[in-house]
Every structure is written in C-alpha cells, then in structure tokens.
Amino acid sequence: MGYLLDGAWHDGAEFAGANGEFRRKASSFRNWVTADGAPGPTGEGGFRAEAGRYHLYVSLACPWAHRALIMRRRKGLEEIVGLSVVHWHMAENGWTFEEGPGVIPDMINHARYLREVYLAADRNYTGRVTVPVLWDKERGTIVNNESSEVIRMFDSAFDQAGAETGTTYPEALRGEIDRVNARVYDTVNNGVYKAGFATRQSVYDAEVARLFESLDWLEARLEGKDYLVGDQLTEADIRLYTTLVRFDPVYHGHFKCNIRRIVDYPNLWRYLKALYALHGFGDTTDLVHIKRHYYTSHRAINPTGIVPVGPDIDYS
Ligand SMILES: N[C@@H](CCC(=O)N[C@@H](CS)C(=O)NCC(=O)O)C(=O)O
C-alpha cells in the first residue's frame, strides 16, 4: 500500500477522512481510445483504435479491473489488446509482478512494480497507483486508468479494428443504465469499501444500511428478470457482477457486510449464477487471487493476514 508524490514512492495508506469515512480519489489519466483517434469525452485525441497498439494492466482480485477483463474477453479483444496481471498481494510496494500462479509479467515496460508504469507515463506523477491501466505502446503513455471509461472504449472503439460487434451500452437504454450505475456505484461497488474501511461505528452502520437497502432494491428489480436494464445484458450487469461475485467470499466477512449473503437473496443469487455461466464472467473470475488479495493486503482490518477457508459456494 502506498502512493506516488511528485514521482517518489511513499509507503502508507490514507484511507480514512477526518470523520472516519473512506474516500476514493478520482482516477487521473482520462484520455480515450476512439475509432478514428478524435478526442473522447475527456482528455486529448491521438489514440486511434488499432490492433496490437494497447496493453491492459489488471489485478484479477480487483473488481474495477475485472470489469475491463470481462469486456476484453466478451468483445473478442484478447488478440487486439495485450494483458499483464499483477500479483494478488499488494503490500509496501503496491502492486507488483512478483511470480505466482496467474501472474502475467509486464513484457511491455518490464516493470517490477506497477508504479514504474505510472512513472513511465509521467515521471512526476502524484496519486495512487491503481488498476486497471490502459497503456499505449505507440505513444508510451497511459491512456486511461478509470475502469468505467475503459469498458466504454472496449465496448465500441475497436469495432472496426477487429472486435466482436454488439454493445452493452445501447443508445435507447443509456439513461436507465446511467441511473442504475450511479446508485450501484455509490452504495454497492464502492459501498462495500466504505463499510469495510470505516473507522467509526456510526459511519460503518450508515454505509452498511445503505448497501443493504440497495441490495433489497436490486432484489426487487430482478424479480422475473434476467438483466438489470431492459431484456439484454448491459454494462450495468457487468458493473454489478464484479461486486456480487466477491460478496460472499470476501465482503461479507472481511468488510463486515454481513446482514445477509447473496445466496440468501433468491433473485440476486439466480442472477449471479446466470452471469457466472456467461462467456467472460465465470471464466475471468479468480477466487484465489480475490480472497488472497483482500485478506493478506489489508492488514489494518485483518492483521494476521489469515485467509479464511470458506465459504463453500458453487457458482456453477
Ligand atoms: N476508480 C478506479 C478505481 C480503481 C481502484 O481503486 N483499484 C484498486 C484495486 S481494487 C487499486 O488499484 N488500489 C491501489 C491503491 O489504491 O493504492 C477505477 O474504477 O478504475
């Protein structure tokens, strides 16, 4: 755990704000790969979608990076966008490429620590060194390190560069997808972190209450339905999936989100199992990296680093 300040690495975590709440800092590289290289919604242009030009850095443990991994597989981008996978253990040096099962070393920047990739893009970088990272081999820089934007690029920018067609962000459903995403992001995807890293009882109590209100709302929403928005798989499902699949194995115990488990919700459990079975979902879910990462990396909330054996869950 640590961060870069003017290009220098500092060990230590500043999770809590003054009131004991967890604050997630905004991502800092916000350019977009587009079909023709025109600027996207933010940042500068010059990042045209091309096979072989871009490289994705992920952790298999991280729910934000997992979104990008699902989209990369589902859009048939595995031959088009390269991949490196960090080691699950994030300690005093942040994410590393230490050898281990499932780790894919960095053959692009030959980094030992992920921070070297950030420094290759900006040698005076200040901020957290997070995954996912989308790297441009041609310009030698980070295009974007915000997962919600990386999945939008993967969804459409590469369609003429050899990707599978089909979108998870169809025009007619965008308003509804955005509304669902907003609540799910704040109270579920990030909600589990806000509960887990709270350092005051009242903050934890409030965040857990908000999280379970949203899970109850999702449970009702999925009654008689296979997907969150419309009757097709959308980005909203991908964004919810990566939190749901980590919930019972990690967030329920490690982050103390334990009013109910996902298996206790008939609709959410049916929905989670159905998504798990789809191409790109279960086959990108690595419960070994997931459990080891959380339980061994967050020593402030699990000082022994012991990884629990259970729960015994069969997602298939
Ligand atoms: N807003 C970012 C968040 C990414 C993020 O926080 N990733 C975590 C792993 S789950 C990370 O790399 N944390 C390292 C750190 O904060 O030092 C996104 O969605 O892409």
Side-chain angles (χ1 to χ4, degrees):
M1 192 70 66
Y3 57 93
L4 286 167
L5 181 64
D6 295 328
W9 181 252
H10 293 263
D11 190 10
E14 275 303 307
F15 277 125
N19 295 317
E21 83 280 18
F22 170 67
R23 292 206 194 125
R24 187 176 293 283
K25 196 179 166 290
S27 305
S28 24
F29 293 95
R30 308 300 285 268
N31 300 315
W32 287 66
V33 175
T34 56
D36 58 2
T42 52
E44 57 184 71
F47 300 98
R48 195 163 73 87
E50 288 169 60
R53 176 168 168 180
Y54 300 96
H55 193 81
L56 181 68
Y57 292 90
V58 299
S59 153
L60 301 180
C62 168
W64 317 100
H66 193 182
R67 300 167 165 182
L69 212 51
I70 292 172
M71 198 64 99
R72 175 173 173 270
R73 180 157 294 174
R74 286 191 65 84
K75 286 290 291 187
L77 292 172
E78 286 174 312
E79 302 297 317
I80 295 174
V81 177
L83 185 71
S84 293
V85 175
V86 297
H87 194 272
W88 59 81
H89 187 45
M90 192 185 64
E92 64 278 6
N93 283 306
W95 294 113
T96 77
F97 292 97
E98 192 181 312
E99 264 179 57
V103 174
I104 304 180
D106 176 14
M107 302 308 283
I108 307 302
N109 287 295
H110 306 284
R112 180 172 175 204
Y113 304 124
L114 185 66
R115 65 175 187 254
E116 294 161 37
V117 175
Y118 276 74
L119 291 173
D122 174 1
R123 60 193 185 87
N124 296 313
Y125 179 76
T126 291
R128 305 205 70 89
V129 173
T130 58
V131 282
V133 173
L134 187 62
W135 176 264
D136 178 6
K137 295 194 266 183
E138 190 176 300
R139 290 178 58 174
T141 193
I142 295 174
V143 183
N144 196 300
N145 69 337
E146 169 49 47
S147 61
S148 59
E149 297 178 352
V150 171
I151 64 172
R152 292 259 168 100
M153 295 171 215
F154 284 2
D155 184 70
S156 59
F158 291 86
D159 284 9
Q160 278 110 55
E164 308 258 334
T165 53
T167 177
T168 59
Y169 193 52
E171 214 134 350
L173 300 178
R174 285 185 184 178
E176 188 64 8
I177 292 171
D178 291 345
R179 274 190 292 281
V180 169
N181 282 348
R183 178 163 181 180
V184 168
Y185 171 77
D186 183 37
T187 61
V188 182
N189 301 142
N190 204 25
V192 293
Y193 284 87
K194 289 193 279 188
F197 288 131
T199 55
R200 275 196 192 184
Q201 187 70 45
S202 59
V203 173
Y204 162 79
D205 290 345
E207 294 301 345
V208 169
R210 274 160 42 94
L211 164 64
F212 279 88
E213 270 167 34
S214 284
L215 291 177
D216 293 346
W217 167 72
L218 290 163
E219 173 72 7
R221 199 178 166 95
L222 286 167
E223 182 67 37
K225 289 189 59 182
D226 293 333
Y227 303 109
L228 277 181
V229 179
D231 53 11
Q232 66 170 95
L233 183 88
T234 69
E235 182 195 277
D237 300 302
I238 295 173
R239 292 172 47 133
L240 179 58
Y241 170 81
T242 66
T243 296
L244 289 187
V245 80
R246 286 163 176 72
F247 202 95
D248 293 356
V250 174
Y251 302 146
H252 182 269
H254 185 62
F255 280 171
K256 306 187 183 79
C257 298
N258 62 0
I259 297 180
R260 277 178 291 281
R261 302 165 302 172
I262 300 305
V263 293
D264 301 322
Y265 286 98
N267 293 331
L268 279 169
W269 177 230
R270 167 183 53 80
Y271 168 79
L272 175 56
K273 281 188 296 182
L275 291 181
Y276 188 89
L278 295 180
H279 176 61
F281 285 79
D283 51 18
T284 58
T285 301
D286 188 319
L287 285 166
V288 172
H289 274 236
I290 291 171
K291 286 180 62 176
R292 287 186 187 172
H293 164 67
Y294 284 93
Y295 283 106
T296 68
S297 303
H298 302 149
R299 291 302 173 99
I301 56 175
N302 188 35
T304 62
I306 297 287
V307 183
V309 176
D312 191 4
I313 300 175
D314 184 4
Y315 290 101
S316 58

